[in-house]
Amino acid sequence: MKIELGPLSRIEGHLNVKTTVTDNVVVDAQCVGEMFRGFEVILRGRDPLDAQQITQRICGVCPYAHAIASSYAQEIAYGITAPANGRILHNLIQGANHLFDYLLHFYQLSALDFVDITAIANYKGSDPELVQVRDWVKAELASKKAFPGAPFLPRLEGQYLKDDDLNIGALKHYIEAMEMQKKANRASAIFGGKFPHATGIFPGGCTQKPTIDHISAYQALIEEVRDFIQQKYIPDLLAVAHGFPDYWHIGQSRGGFMSFGLLPFTPASDSRRLFASGLVLDGQVQPVDFDLITEDIKYARYSSASGLKVNEGELTPAPEKNGAYTWIKAPRYNGQMVEVGPTARILVDYLQGNNPQVTTLVDRFAGMAGIRAEELNSVLGRHLCRAISAVVIADFLLAETERIDPGAPAALELEIPATGEGFGATEASRGALLHYIRLQNHKIEKYECVVPTTWNCSPRDDKGNPGAMESALIGTKVANPAVQIESVRIVHSFDPCLACAVH
Ligand code: NFE
């Protein structure tokens, strides 16, 4: 039986997933990116300083990660290093964006896969926001349609949390989380200029000069967000995990893991980072070599050569290509499929024991859930690793504000050389993000982005091996093949962003 899950909702962009189900087991899955974009073509021949602005338009959710990756790549191409303040402001802007994104993903994009929204119909209290939602949900239940402005119903058939107090409490936090996202975005905008697409992030620093007022405003906002993460997000996630323990074993991808590292400690963009860079294969962590990354396109709608390295990358669209089923390329590391994202980020640190806070948090939460670190490769594992990332990042950002020197410069005067090239790598919220720039005559000759969701939603490679999400779906038992709430929970756990994947 062939079932298409698309159009998938509660994700970013246009994703379809085609499944084949036999005897209530998903035996095949194809991730389909449905829209061509072409940012790398747009960038050719332009002023290099357009790059960190234009690549931010790839996405409205993780724009700063693109600006940061682009800035790192340009810093290497120009042979410059940001001043200490510049790097700290980069970190403050990017880190706050991670906090926004994790809250958005857990509450708005995933929680209602588990939390029973219909429980609110029994709400007898007087909280005006909950009363409003109760009335919307009752109207939706009566009409069996989504009510304008309230995208709660209809929903997929399946088991949801049974405890009304938990369900209603999580719903209250769903509403509060939007306020917290606003605060995280305000914090980024203090130094970046605005959200979503920051005007202030540049190679070599940030155009905003940090003042004591800026710093204390940023601290106040991030402290509120950190408290929400610790007091509400973590307990809500643990309640979901307690209600759905099977999901520690559902949705395992069948390859390696890779992180590029996040939040450098010192100005050099290749400095040691709060989250380390690394590749996990067979439980062992190795260094990452960008030269081993290639992109296959046998099943993607492009006619350029397959298996090219990032610095050779091409983008020639071929919408009618025979056998192709997606606009997403298939990146591979030394020919291997890897998953990127929160589980990769946490595993790289946990397996090396190089971040005591990560070790403590993984051990504590894994102990509470009765799981081993290997089970972080699962639906719940991805959710937990996002939450651990949020705790660690929030603490780091507050410490980082203390390191700003308000009198010192935060940016460099830039002179664009005629030639040069550079890789810029960071962790976007959804995982490993790589930009490559090459200059000729002071202009961009080549620009390539290899993006987290391109890895996770990749199609088969040239050898026929599936991408991370495809592999996580294959083998899944589904109670109702026509609905597949299990598969949708797996897809949501990756937090796919198709705007990024097909950039
Ligand atoms: Ni459009 Fe993005 C993140 C990047 S995912 S959200 O996080 O880069 O491919």
Side-chain angles (χ1 to χ4, degrees):
M1 177 180 196
K2 291 190 186 297
I3 299 287
E4 293 195 20
L5 303 181
L8 266 297
S9 59
R10 295 205 177 100
I11 62 154
E12 164 59 30
H14 308 268
L15 173 67
N16 192 4
V17 174
K18 295 182 178 175
T19 61
T20 307
V21 180
T22 305
D23 297 334
N24 289 75
V25 175
V26 177
V27 293
D28 193 18
Q30 290 184 332
C31 291
V32 183
E34 300 200 298
M35 190 176 75
F36 175 69
R37 304 188 70 207
F39 272 78
E40 288 139 338
V41 179
I42 294 168
L43 283 157
R44 282 182 212 146
R46 299 193 70 119
D47 187 311
L49 283 177
D50 288 350
Q52 79 284 351
Q53 292 301 326
I54 290 177
T55 57
Q56 287 191 74
R57 270 70 188 175
I58 288 173
C59 183
V61 185
C62 68
Y64 304 151
H66 288 288
I68 295 288
S70 182
S71 296
Y72 291 175
Q74 291 181 62
E75 286 170 15
I76 291 168
Y78 307 163
I80 59 171
T81 299
N85 267 357
R87 181 67 68 232
I88 292 170
L89 296 192
H90 280 175
N91 284 348
L92 296 186
I93 297 168
Q94 188 183 10
N97 186 233
H98 273 248
L99 303 185
F100 148 73
D101 210 340
Y102 299 136
L103 294 176
L104 168 73
H105 176 254
F106 181 70
Y107 284 99
Q108 273 66 47
L109 303 183
S110 297
L112 297 186
D113 288 351
F114 302 99
V115 169
D116 185 359
I117 183 74
T118 67
I120 192 70
N122 304 323
Y123 179 63
K124 305 268 188 307
S126 57
D127 179 297
E129 288 171 335
L130 289 177
V131 166
Q132 170 78 85
V133 175
R134 180 194 64 198
D135 293 346
W136 278 334
V137 168
K138 281 181 154 180
E140 287 177 322
L141 285 169
S143 71
K144 301 206 180 332
K145 279 201 216 129
F147 201 71
F152 299 122
L153 296 169
R155 63 172 178 178
L156 296 182
E157 161 203 313
Q159 298 288 327
Y160 290 87
L161 276 177
K162 293 196 187 341
D163 180 329
D164 273 5
D165 288 343
L166 266 181
N167 284 316
I168 293 171
L171 187 57
K172 177 72 183 157
H173 301 161
Y174 174 110
I175 297 165
E176 289 174 15
M178 291 191 265
E179 200 54 40
M180 291 300 139
Q181 289 160 45
K182 204 156 78 182
K183 288 179 193 293
N185 290 338
R186 273 205 189 124
S188 305
I190 289 172
F191 300 113
K194 70 182 189 57
F195 181 86
H197 302 117
T199 48
I201 303 172
F202 270 81
C206 186
T207 52
Q208 179 66 281
K209 289 199 180 105
T211 63
I212 300 289
D213 284 354
H214 290 141
I215 297 167
S216 44
Y218 183 94
Q219 287 169 331
L221 289 163
I222 296 298
E223 275 167 11
E224 275 191 80
V225 176
R226 179 199 52 189
D227 292 350
F228 181 88
I229 289 166
Q230 291 182 345
Q231 292 162 18
K232 299 186 176 166
Y233 174 21
I234 298 278
D236 286 343
L237 171 57
L238 293 176
V240 165
H242 185 70
F244 294 87
D246 290 355
Y247 280 86
W248 291 113
H249 313 287
I250 292 174
Q252 290 146 333
S253 68
R254 314 280 169 181
F257 292 88
M258 183 172 67
S259 166
F260 289 159
L262 174 65
L263 302 172
F265 287 123
T266 67
S269 61
D270 59 356
S271 105
R272 226 165 53 76
R273 298 182 178 191
L274 175 68
F275 293 93
S277 148
L279 172 82
V280 181
L281 283 179
D282 302 322
Q284 302 294 318
V285 186
Q286 314 168 13
V288 174
D289 178 355
F290 301 140
D291 214 35
L292 295 179
I293 296 172
T294 53
E295 292 190 294
D296 282 1
I297 52 130
K298 182 170 176 184
Y299 294 97
R301 297 193 176 104
Y302 302 101
S303 59
S304 16
S306 196
L308 294 177
K309 293 182 181 184
V310 181
N311 60 356
E312 306 164 333
E314 288 176 12
L315 196 75
T316 313
E320 309 296 336
K321 182 171 147 185
N322 250 347
Y325 62 86
T326 178
W327 287 103
I328 306 175
K329 293 179 178 179
R332 293 292 182 268
Y333 187 91
N334 205 13
Q336 302 247 9
M337 177 269 277
V338 296
E339 175 178 334
V340 301
T343 295
R345 192 177 310 137
I346 295 300
L347 277 181
V348 165
D349 273 331
Y350 184 78
L351 293 174
Q352 296 185 114
N354 53 8
N355 182 328
Q357 194 182 10
V358 167
T359 305
T360 305
L361 289 169
V362 170
D363 287 343
R364 182 190 311 157
F365 293 131
M368 286 163 77
I371 58 149
R372 292 164 304 136
E374 292 87 312
E375 281 146 346
L376 296 177
N377 179 6
S378 63
V379 167
L380 286 174
R382 293 183 193 99
H383 287 294
L384 179 62
C385 289
R386 266 186 208 95
I388 291 173
S389 298
V391 172
V392 175
I393 290 170
D395 287 349
F396 175 80
L397 295 178
L398 290 170
E400 189 81 328
T401 56
E402 305 287 345
R403 294 188 272 268
I404 297 177
D405 176 354
L412 293 177
E413 290 295 324
L414 292 176
E415 206 169 301
I416 313 294
T419 59
E421 65 175 345
F423 284 106
T426 186
E427 284 285 293
S429 330
R430 289 161 192 74
L433 173 65
L434 185 63
H435 282 209
Y436 170 77
I437 191 168
R438 188 160 75 229
L439 311 181
Q440 193 56 258
N441 292 331
H442 307 276
K443 301 279 188 224
I444 298 173
E445 182 185 41
K446 189 175 276 297
Y447 204 100
E448 282 294 313
C449 309
V450 187
V451 179
T453 301
T454 319
W455 289 96
N456 284 341
C457 287
S458 102
R460 286 346 189 229
D461 57 28
D462 289 6
K463 291 180 277 191
N465 295 318
M469 188 194 290
E470 291 181 343
S471 78
L473 287 162
I474 294 169
T476 302
K477 290 198 186 103
V478 292
N480 179 348
V483 173
Q484 292 187 42
I485 191 169
E486 302 84 353
S487 297
V488 173
R489 286 169 174 158
I490 292 171
V491 171
H492 283 168
S493 73
F494 282 92
D495 191 10
C497 172
L498 274 289
C500 279
V502 191
H503 39 272

